[in-house]
Amino acid sequence: MKAATITLATVAALVWSVPAFAAEQGTAGVVTGINRLNGTIAIKRVQSGTVGANTAAEEFKIKDNAMIEDVHAGDRVNFSTSDSGAAKTITKLDRQK
């Protein structure tokens, strides 16, 4: 019985941690627009593999407006997001040089 409890606790911990790991993965994209007043940025993800799949830009909230000070439309970026309810929020944004 004790082994089953430990196994269930381990599985529950893994299930809770998987979305956090997935949210922190870096993604590459191209900035298509920035709205500094609303604190949002539109990014078109760079596709690897099939050409023409999902080419629409997505709009994200920015965790901190200081992250978009040096970013402009057309810049290639690496970014990480977190899901906070209805809106996806960018938690890390790095401009590629």
Side-chain angles (χ1 to χ4, degrees):
M1 188 68 158
K2 187 172 185 169
T5 304
I6 292 172
T7 302
L8 285 174
T10 303
V11 169
L14 288 173
V15 168
W16 279 41
S17 64
V18 168
F21 290 132
E24 289 299 319
Q25 288 183 346
T27 306
V30 176
V31 176
T32 59
I34 299 172
N35 187 332
R36 287 180 168 80
L37 295 176
N38 291 339
T40 59
I41 187 169
I43 299 176
K44 180 178 174 183
R45 294 179 191 256
V46 174
Q47 295 294 324
S48 60
T50 307
V51 175
N54 192 15
T55 58
E58 296 179 66
E59 190 166 294
F60 300 94
K61 292 292 250 177
I62 298 294
K63 181 179 175 185
D64 182 13
N65 283 343
M67 294 186 335
I68 58 174
E69 290 299 318
D70 295 329
V71 178
H72 304 286
D75 287 348
R76 290 183 157 270
V77 293
N78 289 325
F79 64 99
S80 298
T81 61
S82 68
D83 232 352
S84 58
K88 289 185 179 179
T89 303
I90 292 184
T91 56
K92 183 178 179 186
L93 182 68
D94 295 318
R95 190 173 122 218
Q96 295 178 359
K97 307 229 180 209

